[in-house]
Amino acid sequence: MDAEIIAVGTELVLGQVTNTNGPLLARTLSAMDIKAPHQVTVMDDQEQIVAAINSARQRASLIFVCGGLGPTTDDVTLKSTAIALGTGLTTDDQHWEWIKETFKARRIKMLPDNIQQARYLTGGSPLANPVGLALGSWYEHDGLQLVVLPGPPAEFRAMLEKSVKPRLVAKYGTGRRISSRTLNFLGRPETQLMAEIEAATAQFSDMTVTSYVQPSQIQVRINVYDLPLAQANDLLEKVTAAILAVERPYFFGFGDKCTLVGEVVKLLTAQGKTITGAESLTGGLFQSTVCSVPGASAVFRGGFVTYAASAKERLLGIDPAVIAGHGVVSAQTAAQMAEKSRERLDADFGLSFTGVAGPDDLEGQPAGTVWLGLARRGQPSQTRELHLAAYLGRQEIRNLSVQYGLQMAFRALQG
Amino acid sequence: MDAEIIAVGTELVLGQVTNTNGPLLARTLSAMDIKAPHQVTVMDDQEQIVAAINSARQRASLIFVCGGLGPTTDDVTLKSTAIALGTGLTTDDQHWEWIKETFKARRIKMLPDNIQQARYLTGGSPLANPVGLALGSWYEHDGLQLVVLPGPPAEFRAMLEKSVKPRLVAKYGTGRRISSRTLNFLGRPETQLMAEIEAATAQFSDMTVTSYVQPSQIQVRINVYDLPLAQANDLLEKVTAAILAVERPYFFGFGDKCTLVGEVVKLLTAQGKTITGAESLTGGLFQSTVCSVPGASAVFRGGFVTYAASAKERLLGIDPAVIAGHGVVSAQTAAQMAEKSRERLDADFGLSFTGVAGPDDLEGQPAGTVWLGLARRGQPSQTRELHLAAYLGRQEIRNLSVQYGLQMAFRALQG
């Protein structure tokens, strides 16, 4: 059974607002193994809405019409949907009383058309709105389910959660069961990673592996279908082990919300250790990324931004002969930056970033050439050279430098 | 003439990725008075893509097909588009050589299918990709224009700007004439700003004023319609003057690409001055934002991240009695941080950030309480307190703190 999502809103079509309701609904459906392979956005326009619903009925038996339930003359979604379905609108008197009381209590003048927000599709049933005025509608007829939902994201989310999901579960809950697990990787091109994972998991059935490239990581999701829970978990374990047997060096954690910086802060906290940094091309982005994690103050006290060579000497006491002899983009400078920053703040780790963000070359090195340094208390320092693609641009070169620096720290913390 | 946008991507349909390319393209078209009233998202699936293009041709004469140009077997957009159009694919030999050289230089193994990324629609012309591997395509036949663009947002944006916009202007520039000007503001709620601008510009006709909220600023666009160029410019001048008569304190520059940090770096460069920073709650985000501007090295040498009180004392030499007496979230600490950072790097300006990013309170102050300090060579320091809404969350509180800090520097530089 296919679903289709129709988003209604002139502000969406003009690009003034980005549609986030659609992706949320798609994720919700996808978790129930309902696919919405075709999604449409149209204006607040009766003719367009009717045409979109008629067209969707040729492809799907579960249709969501989202947005345009406000009290102004622009909001024609409910009326248009009724026309497409050949039905009318019914007023929920109890809800209309509640709307009137709400306006009275807030001392706000009501619009005559606020009564629209107490209406739902005749022959269907109203869906409660826990955080807004407009009712939704759930309509079933002749094998078609059509659901009308409000556009404001908070209202959409609440109605989806409270009213729509329980009905979908009741209706489609007997379908396919899915268990899934997400693994996060850094440092392997997606195509190579997925080719290797495909080979490593070819022996398994009843499962799929999909990848999703995010700015700072590649997420790999294992989905297991139609198995009792214990067997599903067992299969997830086995597939995970098969993947990690090959890709362990690039793996850093489980879960959709897992980030490398979050894992590094977690490991530092657990081990009672602190980190600092000396940043040249990244200009503070590493330290700012660490501080984006709530609770970072347990592991990070402060650090240095040493963009110019003069600042490297002035703030860190880097030997000018090192810079003169090897250049700022060098293993030697990276190592000294890491060591001096660690010493000056008496931290357990010092991480340094020096390189060429571009657009111009530096010291004859192309944009994307980066040296990372990692100083560790009581252990020798490490350095690593990156050759990032110049075409990625200044910002992405800086972002990736930070992620690879975090990977050095992550590996050191794992011992 | 109507346009239609077809976004291709299984990750979009599943809601794993939110489509931001579509809104960007819609805004670009809308600025040229081209409407795309119907927009579609489909999976990486040949049958779906062909059906979507055939259906779009019944509604639109300018069709954009976006995403799915990668080198893996999932990426079927170009092939499917060729099938829908009844044409083939041509390899751009020069681009294919460049791809091979790029892989060689980066020491990464190439996939056989990387050659896909050097192909474009036969009978059309290739569109250069300034920041990625895959070419786009521009195809015209029998009154239809069809444009194929890559999915990664950085590539999409760059190709749109460099290759697509100039062609659209050349082709549709003779339609309804629109002259427009964008003004950028910070520090006024959108509804208030727009209500005031509406009142200030009520006397003018033949024009509209629209607003667009971006993370770091509010962009206000004045559009003037159907006037000869000289008159249009004259009207733009008059409307701009009327707006700035009311909103000058919040204004910082003209143009769609204008950013406050870009304006600050420009003013510093022009005045031959330098800036540094000492950051607590922002953790390096201010300095990293400055370094995101190409050419920042002329005005920024380095600075300090002093997250913990101990780092404020150790790296900057803040008097512990000041912190003990007034707290870290105080005008006195902010002023000392700014002054000491400026002195230690002998810079013309020192900007400091100290406050509560949340989620927890600090020193009895709620999340969103922030003190900014600005030290200036030869002039007294300034401080400013912000009360940002706690519900904005940690990241947005840090972002806005940086922007308001930049606003202090901007005002000081304007004298």
Side-chain angles (χ1 to χ4, degrees):
Chain A
M1 196 259 331
D2 271 353
E4 181 149 336
I5 303 174
I6 302 171
V8 180
T10 300
E11 73 286 3
L12 299 174
V13 155
L14 295 179
Q16 293 166 343
V17 171
T18 296
N19 177 10
T20 56
N21 292 338
L24 174 66
L25 177 55
R27 289 194 298 275
T28 304
L29 294 174
S30 171
M32 306 178 71
D33 210 28
I34 300 172
K35 282 201 180 60
H38 192 273
Q39 300 172 9
V40 181
T41 307
V42 297
M43 301 179 80
D44 294 299
D45 176 88
Q46 180 176 310
E47 200 180 320
Q48 270 206 26
I49 297 169
V50 171
I53 293 172
N54 286 338
S55 169
R57 290 179 76 167
Q58 296 169 23
R59 284 179 296 259
S61 58
L62 172 60
I63 299 175
F64 295 86
V65 184
C66 314
L69 302 185
T72 72
T73 50
D74 288 351
D75 297 299
V76 296
T77 296
L78 198 60
K79 192 177 71 177
S80 308
T81 305
I83 289 168
L85 296 173
T87 187
L89 297 178
T90 300
T91 301
D92 181 324
D93 292 325
Q94 208 181 331
H95 189 68
W96 176 225
E97 286 306 314
W98 175 81
I99 289 180
K100 286 190 280 189
E101 278 164 31
T102 301
F103 272 89
K104 210 172 147 190
R106 292 182 55 204
R107 299 171 203 180
I108 296 177
K109 212 178 132 203
M110 223 165 52
L111 297 171
D113 281 344
N114 275 116
I115 194 169
Q116 282 189 37
Q117 302 186 288
R119 291 187 175 143
Y120 61 95
L121 292 167
T122 304
S125 54
L127 297 174
N129 186 335
V131 296
L133 296 178
L135 290 175
S137 293
W138 181 288
Y139 180 88
E140 301 193 16
H141 182 69
D142 205 13
L144 168 75
Q145 281 83 47
L146 187 142
V147 188
V148 182
L149 297 169
E155 299 182 29
F156 183 88
R157 182 182 300 265
M159 197 179 287
L160 181 63
E161 205 57 44
K162 294 268 170 63
S163 304
V164 177
K165 263 171 86 171
R167 284 182 186 234
L168 288 175
V169 169
K171 196 149 186 78
Y172 304 105
T174 50
R176 251 173 133 184
R177 281 165 304 192
I178 302 191
S179 303
S180 70
R181 181 177 293 179
T182 300
L183 286 70
N184 295 278
F185 297 92
L186 174 72
R188 205 89 174 132
E190 186 202 10
T191 48
Q192 197 174 347
L193 181 74
M194 290 309 287
E196 290 165 356
I197 288 178
E198 212 169 294
T201 58
Q203 70 205 83
F204 299 105
S205 56
D206 297 322
M207 49 74 70
T208 60
V209 181
T210 56
S211 62
Y212 165 37
V213 180
Q214 294 207 316
S216 305
Q217 67 219 61
I218 297 173
Q219 295 198 319
V220 172
R221 188 175 284 128
I222 312 168
N223 294 306
V224 166
Y225 300 100
D226 282 331
L227 289 178
L229 191 62
Q231 267 175 270
N233 284 338
D234 186 53
L235 182 53
L236 282 176
E237 283 299 330
K238 283 182 178 150
V239 176
T240 301
I243 292 174
L244 292 185
V246 185
E247 307 295 347
R248 171 70 72 182
Y250 311 101
F251 171 76
F252 64 82
F254 292 105
D256 285 341
K257 291 187 176 168
C258 171
T259 61
L260 185 47
V261 69
E263 295 303 303
V264 167
V265 169
K266 210 186 289 172
L267 284 170
L268 287 166
T269 306
Q271 298 178 23
K273 289 185 174 155
T274 60
I275 195 165
T276 183
E279 303 188 57
S280 185
L281 87 154
T282 50
L285 191 60
F286 158 65
Q287 295 169 79
S288 161
T289 303
V290 170
C291 293
S292 73
V293 181
S297 58
V299 305
F300 175 76
R301 294 188 203 121
F304 305 86
V305 180
T306 55
Y307 204 58
S310 66
K312 292 178 181 70
E313 294 162 18
R314 200 156 179 161
L315 300 190
L316 292 172
I318 303 282
D319 183 354
V322 168
I323 294 179
H326 301 279
V328 289
V329 187
S330 67
Q332 290 81 357
T333 299
Q336 277 223 357
M337 286 169 65
E339 285 158 15
K340 301 279 188 184
S341 70
R342 194 199 71 72
E343 286 164 18
R344 296 209 166 200
L345 275 159
D346 191 26
D348 296 294
F349 295 93
L351 197 49
S352 70
F353 301 82
T354 179
V356 195
D360 299 327
D361 291 4
L362 183 66
E363 298 177 347
Q365 312 251 38
T369 311
V370 178
W371 278 97
L372 308 172
L374 178 69
R376 302 173 294 174
R377 193 193 296 276
Q379 283 180 280
S381 294
Q382 302 173 328
T383 57
R384 178 173 175 194
E385 188 177 14
L386 304 176
H387 294 282
L388 303 169
Y391 68 72
L392 292 171
R394 188 175 173 85
Q395 205 53 42
E396 188 57 11
I397 286 170
R398 299 166 74 228
N399 286 338
L400 285 173
S401 299
V402 167
Q403 294 303 323
Y404 283 108
L406 286 166
Q407 192 175 50
M408 283 182 86
F410 179 75
R411 289 173 178 170
L413 282 160
Q414 286 196 310
Chain B
M1 197 257 334
D2 270 353
E4 182 149 337
I5 303 175
I6 302 171
V8 180
T10 300
E11 74 283 7
L12 299 174
V13 155
L14 294 178
Q16 295 168 341
V17 172
T18 296
N19 178 12
T20 56
N21 292 337
L24 174 66
L25 177 55
R27 289 194 298 275
T28 304
L29 295 173
S30 170
M32 305 177 70
D33 212 26
I34 300 171
K35 282 203 179 58
H38 191 274
Q39 301 172 11
V40 180
T41 306
V42 296
M43 300 180 80
D44 294 300
D45 176 89
Q46 180 176 311
E47 200 180 316
Q48 270 207 30
I49 297 169
V50 171
I53 292 173
N54 287 337
S55 169
R57 289 178 75 167
Q58 295 168 24
R59 286 180 293 260
S61 57
L62 171 61
I63 299 175
F64 295 87
V65 185
C66 313
L69 303 185
T72 74
T73 50
D74 288 351
D75 296 299
V76 296
T77 296
L78 197 59
K79 192 177 72 179
S80 307
T81 305
I83 290 167
L85 296 173
T87 187
L89 298 177
T90 299
T91 302
D92 181 323
D93 293 324
Q94 208 180 331
H95 188 69
W96 176 225
E97 286 307 314
W98 175 82
I99 289 179
K100 287 191 281 189
E101 280 166 28
T102 300
F103 273 88
K104 210 169 145 190
R106 292 185 52 208
R107 302 167 204 181
I108 295 178
K109 209 178 127 199
M110 219 163 54
L111 297 172
D113 281 345
N114 275 117
I115 195 171
Q116 282 188 37
Q117 301 185 291
R119 292 188 174 139
Y120 62 96
L121 293 167
T122 303
S125 53
L127 297 175
N129 186 333
V131 297
L133 295 178
L135 290 174
S137 292
W138 180 287
Y139 181 88
E140 300 194 16
H141 183 69
D142 206 14
L144 168 75
Q145 280 83 48
L146 186 143
V147 188
V148 182
L149 297 170
E155 300 182 27
F156 183 88
R157 182 183 299 265
M159 197 178 287
L160 182 64
E161 202 58 43
K162 293 269 170 63
S163 303
V164 176
K165 263 172 85 171
R167 283 180 189 235
L168 288 175
V169 169
K171 193 143 187 83
Y172 304 104
T174 50
R176 203 174 171 202
R177 281 166 306 190
I178 300 187
S179 302
S180 70
R181 181 177 292 178
T182 300
L183 285 69
N184 294 279
F185 296 91
L186 174 73
R188 204 89 175 134
E190 188 202 10
T191 45
Q192 193 174 349
L193 181 75
M194 289 311 286
E196 291 165 356
I197 287 178
E198 211 170 295
T201 59
Q203 70 206 83
F204 300 105
S205 57
D206 297 321
M207 50 74 74
T208 60
V209 181
T210 56
S211 62
Y212 170 40
V213 180
Q214 295 205 315
S216 306
Q217 65 217 62
I218 297 173
Q219 295 197 318
V220 172
R221 189 176 282 129
I222 314 168
N223 294 306
V224 166
Y225 299 101
D226 283 330
L227 288 178
L229 192 62
Q231 267 175 270
N233 284 339
D234 184 54
L235 182 53
L236 283 176
E237 282 300 331
K238 282 181 180 149
V239 175
T240 302
I243 292 173
L244 292 185
V246 185
E247 306 296 346
R248 169 71 71 182
Y250 310 101
F251 171 76
F252 63 81
F254 292 105
D256 285 341
K257 293 187 174 168
C258 173
T259 61
L260 185 48
V261 69
E263 296 302 304
V264 167
V265 169
K266 209 186 290 172
L267 285 170
L268 286 165
T269 306
Q271 297 178 22
K273 290 186 174 154
T274 60
I275 194 164
T276 184
E279 304 188 56
S280 186
L281 86 154
T282 50
L285 192 60
F286 159 65
Q287 295 169 77
S288 163
T289 303
V290 170
C291 293
S292 72
V293 181
S297 58
V299 305
F300 175 75
R301 294 188 202 120
F304 305 85
V305 180
T306 55
Y307 204 56
S310 65
K312 293 178 182 66
E313 294 163 17
R314 200 155 180 161
L315 301 189
L316 293 172
I318 304 281
D319 183 353
V322 168
I323 295 179
H326 302 279
V328 289
V329 187
S330 67
Q332 291 80 356
T333 300
Q336 276 221 358
M337 286 169 66
E339 285 158 15
K340 301 278 189 184
S341 69
R342 193 199 74 70
E343 285 163 18
R344 293 205 169 202
L345 275 158
D346 191 26
D348 297 294
F349 295 93
L351 197 51
S352 70
F353 301 82
T354 182
V356 194
D360 300 327
D361 291 5
L362 182 66
E363 296 178 348
Q365 312 250 39
T369 311
V370 179
W371 277 98
L372 308 171
L374 178 68
R376 302 174 293 173
R377 193 191 295 278
Q379 282 180 279
S381 294
Q382 303 173 328
T383 57
R384 179 175 175 192
E385 188 176 15
L386 304 176
H387 293 284
L388 302 169
Y391 67 74
L392 292 172
R394 188 173 171 85
Q395 207 51 44
E396 189 58 12
I397 286 171
R398 298 166 74 229
N399 286 338
L400 286 174
S401 298
V402 168
Q403 295 303 322
Y404 283 109
L406 285 167
Q407 192 174 51
M408 283 182 85
F410 179 75
R411 289 172 178 170
L413 281 158
Q414 287 197 309

